[in-house]
Amino acid sequence: MTRYQIGELARMTGLTVRTIRFYSDSGLIPPTDRTTGGYRTYDTDALARLKLVRTLRDLGVDLPTAGRVLAREVSVTDVARAHADAIDAQMKTLRLRRAVLRAVAKGGEMELMNELARMSDEERQRILDDFFEEVFGPYELDPQFEQHMRSVRIELPDDPSTEQLEAWVELAKLVQDPDFRAAVKRMSQQHEEKRREGADMGPPGDGQMEAFNFAIAQAREALDAGIAPESAEAREVVDRVNANWAEALGLPNDDSLVERLRELSDFADPRAERYWVLIARINGWPAMPDHSRERAWLREAGQPFG
């Protein structure tokens, strides 16, 4: 029967003589026999056990667990599954740390980013739920609208990009901003009042969306052309935008139009649009259009809806 001394085992397994001797002294790989000179020898079964221990250790399994595998107290399958799960958790943590560090390297707030990134999905959603409870809870809103808003989930992936992590931090700060909450509560209150008056509080019709898109396109052209919002050229842009809105709303292009556009603007806080831009970025959805630059230009130019 084939016998191996420790030096031969070391050459065959890539382990050091010292390591093999330690495994042998601890009873993990006991010697099969001894030579007349007192040197330990090991058979092929001991070699196989040693290779198994080496593989388990390479995979991060601790020695006590490796011993339990050799003693058949636990199967290799069970150990592999448990350690794979542990590695998955470690990898998730490391990926989040990497995203946090990259975001911090771009100038982000380290402590805040780390705290928000480490939250569970339930903890992240709780931030949104708390927001909706405050801004919607006291009011009777259109059920379909409210259900849609509350149904959106935060789905930050296990391996978020720097942009996704930054978007989540910005969103968390936005929905916890007292000024933004107050603005949404005002919108909710007005929504309830107009609904009681019988107004249609459903999504805007095609005509209004076309008028909005026309206004955005006009503002974008003005921005690209370098037109200052306080200039005479900007006034001409606003006149075109208002005339188009008057046609879409069926109103004369006078003070009644201005009043109506101001009413619409009460339900069109630019930060609400930013909310959806951030949600899409966090969840990896197709990018939502961000009209913040164009709307800011329109407001500076005096366009009532902005």
Side-chain angles (χ1 to χ4, degrees), residues 195-249:
R195 187 165 175 259
R196 286 177 178 173
E197 294 170 0
D200 180 8
M201 300 308 295
D206 291 341
Q208 288 189 33
M209 287 306 303
E210 288 175 4
F212 174 77
N213 290 332
F214 176 81
I216 294 299
Q218 290 287 303
R220 187 176 300 120
E221 289 180 11
L223 282 164
D224 291 343
I227 296 175
E230 65 277 5
S231 66
E233 291 174 287
R235 184 67 254 173
E236 295 176 3
V237 174
V238 170
D239 288 343
R240 288 196 299 271
V241 169
N242 285 353
N244 194 65
W245 269 114
E247 182 178 351
L249 296 173

Side-chain angles (χ1 to χ4, degrees), residues 20-277:
I20 298 172
R21 186 174 289 115
F22 172 75
Y23 290 166
S24 184
D25 291 341
S26 64
L28 205 60
I29 311 292
T32 306
D33 204 349
R34 287 184 180 269
T35 66
T36 54
Y39 293 103
R40 304 178 232 201
T41 62
Y42 303 84
D43 59 15
T44 53
D45 181 61
L47 174 61
R49 289 164 60 87
L50 183 60
K51 288 182 177 180
L52 177 58
V53 171
R54 180 198 61 191
T55 300
L56 291 172
R57 294 293 289 149
D58 285 346
L59 294 174
V61 177
D62 57 82
L63 278 180
T65 302
R68 293 179 63 203
V69 171
L70 293 178
R72 300 183 185 278
E73 295 175 4
V74 62
S75 70
V76 172
T77 301
D78 291 338
V79 170
R81 184 181 300 111
H83 278 265
D85 291 343
I87 289 172
D88 284 342
Q90 291 172 351
M91 290 176 65
K92 179 179 179 179
T93 298
L94 289 173
R95 285 192 292 261
L96 282 174
R97 287 178 182 172
R98 179 181 62 188
V100 169
L101 289 171
R102 285 179 174 168
V104 171
K106 292 176 63 177
E109 304 170 55
M110 183 170 63
E111 291 186 10
L112 176 62
M113 286 192 164
N114 187 49
E115 178 182 351
L116 293 173
R118 290 170 63 86
M119 285 182 172
S120 65
D121 292 339
E122 291 75 16
E123 289 170 327
R124 294 187 190 103
Q125 193 62 39
R126 200 173 300 131
I127 289 178
L128 278 194
D129 291 342
D130 175 71
F131 167 71
F132 288 129
E133 195 56 39
E134 178 176 340
V135 302
F136 289 167
Y139 308 103
E140 293 184 11
L141 307 180
D142 179 79
Q144 187 175 3
F145 165 77
E146 184 171 354
Q147 181 181 7
H148 170 66
M149 293 296 295
R150 288 181 179 270
S151 67
V152 175
R153 312 296 296 177
I154 294 296
E155 299 174 351
L156 188 70
D158 290 343
D159 187 12
S161 66
T162 302
E163 290 72 24
Q164 285 176 306
L165 180 58
E166 289 174 334
W168 161 235
V169 172
E170 183 180 344
L171 179 68
K173 292 169 71 174
L174 175 64
V175 298
Q176 294 178 92
D177 179 7
D179 184 66
F180 180 59
R181 288 191 172 209
V184 178
K185 287 180 74 172
R186 286 194 298 272
M187 286 190 278
S188 298
Q189 182 178 5
Q190 292 169 354
H191 180 114
E192 180 185 59
E193 291 171 353
K194 290 187 175 297
R195 187 165 175 259
R196 286 177 178 173
E197 294 170 0
D200 180 8
M201 300 308 295
D206 291 341
Q208 288 189 33
M209 287 306 303
E210 288 175 4
F212 174 77
N213 290 332
F214 176 81
I216 294 299
Q218 290 287 303
R220 187 176 300 120
E221 289 180 11
L223 282 164
D224 291 343
I227 296 175
E230 65 277 5
S231 66
E233 291 174 287
R235 184 67 254 173
E236 295 176 3
V237 174
V238 170
D239 288 343
R240 288 196 299 271
V241 169
N242 285 353
N244 194 65
W245 269 114
E247 182 178 351
L249 296 173
L251 294 172
N253 190 0
D254 56 17
D255 289 346
S256 61
L257 173 70
V258 172
E259 181 64 26
R260 178 63 177 140
L261 289 177
R262 284 176 177 162
E263 289 179 4
L264 289 175
S265 69
D266 289 339
F267 294 93
D269 189 307
R271 291 172 295 184
E273 182 180 71
R274 183 63 180 170
Y275 170 91
W276 288 108
V277 170

